[in-house]
Amino acid sequence: DSGGRDLRAAFARGVQQVIGASDEQMGRLAPINRRFEIQRQALLLEEREVRGELRRELRAAPADETRVGQLLDRLFASQRRRLELVEQEQRELAAVLTPSQRARYLVLQQEVRRRVEGMREQRGRRGRPRP
């Protein structure tokens, strides 16, 4: 929709200003960002699901130690894949952005993710009864 498109365009202009990128750099950055964001979201969803399974398993009395071990292995494997994804993204960004621009972009990405996660948590808390 046009509202979402306008918001994305405004966000892109803000990113461009913060990292000091040219129009050409931004044009090359957009597809890289989209591709990695899709992969990152899939990994975060997987991690969230594994953490939920782990919480449920730990609430069981007694917990199935084999299952807990398997879930921990899955969680650590997912975290390794996320780190590999960041490294791969940084290699691709190095072909587009200067090291200083990449550093600014990384900080900006982390800030945005933190804010989005905070909003998700708030939304989740509003729907749950208080203990």
Side-chain angles (χ1 to χ4, degrees):
D1 77 349
S2 67
R5 207 172 16 256
D6 292 345
L7 186 61
R8 281 190 294 278
F11 181 74
R13 283 190 303 275
V15 168
Q16 185 172 12
Q17 259 188 326
V18 168
I19 68 173
S22 68
D23 290 342
E24 190 265 336
Q25 285 175 308
M26 290 303 290
R28 293 175 60 197
L29 179 65
I32 294 170
N33 185 51
R34 269 192 304 276
R35 188 173 65 255
F36 281 98
E37 192 58 33
I38 290 167
Q39 294 176 58
R40 194 175 3 267
Q41 288 302 317
L43 281 172
L44 289 173
L45 179 61
E46 178 184 326
E47 279 185 43
R48 195 174 300 134
E49 289 171 358
V50 171
R51 287 177 196 278
E53 289 180 49
L54 190 55
R55 273 191 300 276
R56 285 188 294 280
E57 190 59 50
L58 291 173
R59 279 190 219 116
D64 179 341
E65 296 298 331
T66 301
R67 179 77 176 131
V68 170
Q70 291 168 344
L71 290 168
L72 286 172
D73 290 346
R74 281 180 55 199
L75 183 63
F76 298 142
S78 179
Q79 290 173 342
R80 277 191 301 278
R81 285 193 311 273
R82 191 162 31 104
L83 181 57
E84 290 165 1
L85 189 67
V86 168
E87 291 171 342
Q88 184 181 357
E89 180 182 31
Q90 287 300 310
R91 280 192 299 273
E92 288 193 32
L93 290 175
V96 176
L97 302 173
T98 68
S100 294
Q101 288 172 322
R102 283 182 22 229
R104 286 186 197 104
Y105 187 64
L106 186 62
V107 168
L108 190 60
Q109 283 179 312
Q110 290 170 342
E111 287 175 5
V112 168
R113 283 190 202 105
R114 230 184 334 268
R115 287 181 189 166
V116 167
E117 193 57 37
M119 290 187 309
R120 276 191 191 121
E121 286 176 15
Q122 282 182 337
R123 212 177 13 224
R125 274 191 235 119
R126 275 184 263 155
R128 288 188 215 127
R130 299 234 165 153

